Amino acid sequence: AAMAEPVPAARRAFPALAPLLAARLVREYPGAARIETTIDPRLQRRAEALASRAVKGAGRRLSAAILLADHRNGEVLAEVGAADWTDGTSAGFVDMTQAWRSPGSALKPFVYALAFDDGLAHPETLIEDRPTVFGNWQPQNFDHQFRGTVSLRNALIWSLNIPVVKLAEALGPNRIAQTLRRGGIGLSLAGDSPGLAITLGGVGVTLEGLVNGYAALARGGRGIALSPLPGGARERPAAMFGPVAAWQVGNVLAQNPAPHGARQRALAYKTGTSYGNRDALAVGFDGARVGAVWLGRPDGTPVPGAFGGDLAAPVLFDLFDALPPVALPPPPPQ
């Protein structure tokens, strides 16, 4: 019988779906004979292929991370911690879904949501985008241009810096930080207390934390602790802000045009690019799922020409293209 058995002619790749997540769960549950997860194998393979494709030909040391979850029940559907977990030159052993990185502009929607919830502003409120000094700090827009009088809707779509810092000054950076933490966005601060620069990426967050926060936006302001374990997700005890404010922000983000070459779909999303082009990010949600993409170098060195809108957003849209479309919810009763 052994002689009649065909002999393999080539090696087969060892199955290694979500290897960094698997390694983390083994550390968290030592001695467990079996650990079941909510990972969808089809979506996981898709996400891993997208991460690998995103860094192909982009030079050495570049990596990528992707996280996709169902914000209705908190289940993590796909988690990619590195573009190639076997590649030492790109620090493939580092799980970039858990690493502290600058979010760039990805935290701006939460400032707007707080301002809307307070009645301080509305999407059609007009604000001045002109050179402004805040103490000893004079922030600039990304393109060093100013638009004059703009609506807050356009200020968020265009990701202008001066309007959001003005809102942050009125709200107070400590309150913004408390709200972010309430939604599951942990913060790594340079000092004891946050400053206004928190709104422009002057703080460390994890990709997992960002997805937690955007899940709260998708859920009407009430967060959920995402989990890769069946039944592991938990509703957060306090809301970040009210459902009307959350819907208003989602409605604005859904008006962001799709990246070049991508198919327009019902996706409320925001991009982020950190100082020195060290991190390129895109985070978004539809009526059922929330996802995020990060590209950069794990060692924190700059990646010339890396912008969230150019690099990360197309990957995010490709990820959601593997899912059946689910419309964003209608406005809640006022």
Side-chain angles (χ1 to χ4, degrees):
M3 293 297 292
E5 191 74 20
V7 178
R11 287 190 178 188
R12 294 183 181 180
F14 191 82
L17 277 181
L20 295 179
L21 170 63
R24 190 170 81 239
L25 291 176
V26 167
R27 291 194 300 270
E28 292 177 2
Y29 300 93
R34 178 183 176 88
I35 303 174
E36 294 191 12
T37 75
T38 58
I39 294 295
D40 182 312
R42 181 185 68 87
L43 295 176
Q44 181 67 28
R45 291 188 185 94
R46 170 78 168 181
E48 290 182 3
L50 287 174
S52 178
R53 189 180 74 185
V55 303
K56 188 175 182 180
R60 294 164 59 84
R61 296 186 293 136
L62 196 68
S63 191
I66 298 175
L67 193 57
L68 179 69
D70 188 322
H71 59 68
R72 298 167 299 184
N73 55 24
E75 292 182 352
V76 174
L77 305 175
E79 183 170 326
V80 181
D84 182 355
W85 69 289
T86 66
D87 182 19
T89 61
S90 63
F93 50 85
V94 177
D95 187 347
M96 296 307 297
T97 67
Q98 309 296 309
W100 295 106
R101 307 294 294 209
S102 166
S105 296
L107 295 181
K108 287 178 179 176
F110 301 100
V111 179
Y112 283 90
L114 264 180
F116 296 164
D117 200 42
D118 274 8
L120 177 66
H122 182 274
E124 306 311 323
T125 298
L126 298 179
I127 196 167
E128 295 301 311
D129 179 43
R130 303 183 188 279
T132 308
V133 178
F134 301 89
N136 296 322
W137 182 40
Q138 186 172 356
Q140 301 285 323
N141 285 321
F142 195 77
D143 59 2
H144 300 286
Q145 303 293 318
F146 297 95
R147 272 70 173 183
T149 305
V150 298
S151 68
L152 288 183
R153 179 182 301 276
N154 285 334
L156 178 52
I157 291 173
W158 298 337
S159 198
L160 301 179
N161 289 343
I162 306 303
V164 75
V165 177
K166 286 182 176 179
L167 292 178
E169 185 179 46
L171 293 165
N174 278 312
R175 183 166 174 228
I176 294 170
Q178 290 169 3
T179 300
L180 294 172
R181 291 187 177 113
R182 202 159 60 238
I185 305 179
L187 304 176
S188 177
L189 300 169
D192 294 332
S193 59
L196 291 176
I198 188 176
T199 59
L200 306 185
V203 65
V205 304
T206 66
L207 196 70
E208 182 182 69
L210 271 180
V211 175
N212 270 292
Y214 275 75
L217 265 180
R219 292 166 49 85
R222 194 160 200 96
I224 188 169
L226 305 175
S227 174
L229 302 176
R234 294 287 183 272
E235 295 266 351
R236 297 195 180 275
M240 296 181 80
F241 26 71
V244 173
W247 181 87
Q248 287 173 327
V249 169
N251 178 255
V252 173
L253 295 180
Q255 296 172 31
N256 273 326
H260 180 69
R263 179 171 60 89
Q264 190 71 44
R265 59 179 297 134
L267 186 64
Y269 82 104
K270 182 74 182 75
T271 62
T273 305
S274 68
Y275 178 76
N277 302 89
R278 289 169 168 82
D279 306 274
L281 289 149
V283 196
F285 58 88
D286 65 7
R289 286 79 43 140
V290 58
V293 175
W294 170 87
L295 286 98
R297 290 175 178 158
D299 62 6
T301 54
V303 184
F307 300 100
D310 296 335
L311 291 185
V315 180
L316 182 69
F317 271 70
D318 284 346
L319 180 65
F320 273 82
D321 277 344
L323 302 164
V326 179
L328 292 162
Q334 304 243 3

